[in-house]
Amino acid sequence: MVANDARADFFTPDKSGILAAVQRREAELIDRLRTLVEIESPSSAKSAVDQAQTVFAGWAEAAGGTLLRHRHRHFGDSLEVRFGKPARGEKPTLLLGHLDTVWPVGTLAKMPFKVTRDRIAGPGVLDMKAGVLMALTAIETLQEMQLLHRPVTLLLHGDEEVGSPASRKLTETIAQRCGAVYVLEPAQGAAGAYKTARKAVGMYRLSVQGVAAHSGVDFEKGHSAVVELARQIEALHALTDLTKGITVSPGVIGGGTQSNVIAAEAWVETDVRIARTRNLARMDRALRSLRPFDPACKLTMTGGMNRPPMERSKGTVQLFRRAQRFAADLGIAIEEAATGGASDGNFTAALGVPTLDGMGAVGAGAHAVHEHLERRHLVPRTALLAAMLL
Ligand SMILES: [Zn+2]
């Protein structure tokens, strides 16, 4: 890795040339961003996500990419695009992204695509339609400058926002053949830090079965699932350990039928985040071994961990240091950050493939009505992405 870095630096051309070439493509990037954003593509709408994939595939093919469409039945297809000649023994770099968003069809009516001097707003601009276009622009720029000598695989999914149920296997299979993974998720915070660590994410559902009774006539015969649930929520919350980077957050509850009925059923859905792999099994056991406070009530825990943590590995830190050096060449500063949010980078990092995340746009409001990106970062970050593919 170190030797490779030295070689890459030695042959690295003037980064300002890349910056200028990306600058010339900015208008096209924003134009394409409008096209993609105006195809509303929530994870739940397969045909819409497929349409966004098709449009993107057209651009990627025109840029000389070899397309491979992986069909999914219930979610949008995954699109794999290969660029560059695979040299002997040289592993490709994987650019990983998604074209699904959290925004339902119809959102554009009240949250239209909008470009101002400083910002670009609209559903999915930041998370992450700009990111995938930055990747394509970076590749096109290197091709134009005849600098794309390494094989690059671009992989876009349509189910990331719902936990990647259909695409996970594909991500893992392809990542295993790759030397590094760059995730096109938005950068962290206003400074736009790259993400070198992410927590594992799990979703657990605790169902409580009590004993129903008339609250006036047979109060003593009842065993309230709602009261039991209230106690269990405290027990769940108490599993949080911030010093270890563990959070257990009961987020949605339900139960009971009427106020004059002692509740027979109640439930809570709990979000669990864990920073370290070594705490996964222990936490899973703790969550599954909750005991009822009222022995007449029954507990059932379902769900589990969805994404493993992306730990700050040596390989990831090396990628980050390289990005920092290239950023300095481009006249920008890059910080690193850890986050509780998860991405498909969690899967690739867990396989031991060096993964650098947050290489997409810089902005704020992902998944929120003020979602936007800051224009001043668009060109330099794209140039940095290109430099990282040299
Ligand atoms: Zn995303």
Side-chain angles (χ1 to χ4, degrees), residues 98 100 127-128 160-161 185-186 343 367:
H98 63 86
D100 60 318
D127 188 6
M128 59 147 70
E160 195 276 344
E161 294 291 3
E185 291 287 346
S343 80
H367 299 200

Side-chain angles (χ1 to χ4, degrees), residues 293-310:
F293 290 86
D294 177 346
C297 289
K298 224 183 95 190
L299 306 182
T300 312
M301 185 68 92
T302 53
M305 296 308 295
N306 168 248
R307 285 182 163 103
M310 169 175 148

Side-chain angles (χ1 to χ4, degrees), residues 257-287:
T257 51
Q258 300 192 85
S259 61
N260 63 355
V261 177
I262 293 180
E265 313 275 353
W267 53 265
V268 56
E269 280 175 2
T270 301
D271 174 282
V272 178
R273 313 254 163 175
I274 302 172
R276 303 253 172 239
T277 307
R278 63 165 182 270
N279 291 321
L280 283 181
R282 183 176 66 77
M283 281 304 294
D284 187 70
R285 268 199 309 280
L287 286 156

Side-chain angles (χ1 to χ4, degrees), residues 2-164:
V2 173
N4 276 344
D5 272 8
R7 194 191 54 183
D9 281 350
F10 184 74
F11 286 112
T12 292
D14 180 15
K15 303 287 193 312
S16 61
I18 295 178
L19 196 61
V22 171
Q23 184 70 62
R24 288 193 292 272
R25 291 179 176 273
E26 189 193 18
E28 182 189 43
L29 196 165
I30 293 172
D31 225 45
R32 286 172 170 177
L33 184 55
R34 175 190 293 276
T35 303
L36 275 191
V37 170
E38 292 184 347
I39 302 170
E40 295 183 278
S41 53
S43 322
S44 58
K46 173 176 168 57
S47 60
V49 179
D50 283 349
Q51 195 198 336
Q53 293 281 32
T54 300
V55 167
F56 187 90
W59 296 327
E61 194 165 34
T66 306
L67 307 183
L68 261 149
R69 191 145 175 160
H70 303 269
R71 310 267 169 198
H72 301 301
R73 186 119 76 100
H74 301 295
F75 292 98
D77 295 340
S78 294
L79 179 68
E80 180 184 353
V81 192
R82 295 179 186 171
F83 294 94
K85 289 180 289 289
R88 259 166 306 146
E90 194 170 18
K91 290 181 170 182
T93 299
L94 179 60
L95 292 168
L96 187 54
H98 63 86
L99 278 176
D100 60 318
T101 74
V102 297
W103 299 103
V105 173
T107 301
L108 270 176
K110 43 190 190 300
M111 204 178 140
F113 181 82
K114 196 173 156 204
V115 181
T116 59
R117 202 170 55 100
D118 301 327
R119 292 178 169 184
I120 301 176
V125 282
L126 180 64
D127 188 6
M128 59 147 70
K129 287 177 172 174
V132 303
L133 290 171
M134 288 164 69
L136 182 61
T137 304
I139 291 167
E140 288 174 329
T141 302
L142 293 182
Q143 283 175 327
E144 172 198 320
M145 300 177 78
Q146 301 190 325
L147 290 172
L148 188 68
H149 304 307
R150 292 176 177 221
V152 175
T153 300
L154 179 57
L155 182 62
L156 303 182
H157 296 308
D159 62 345
E160 195 276 344
E161 294 291 3
V162 289
S164 310

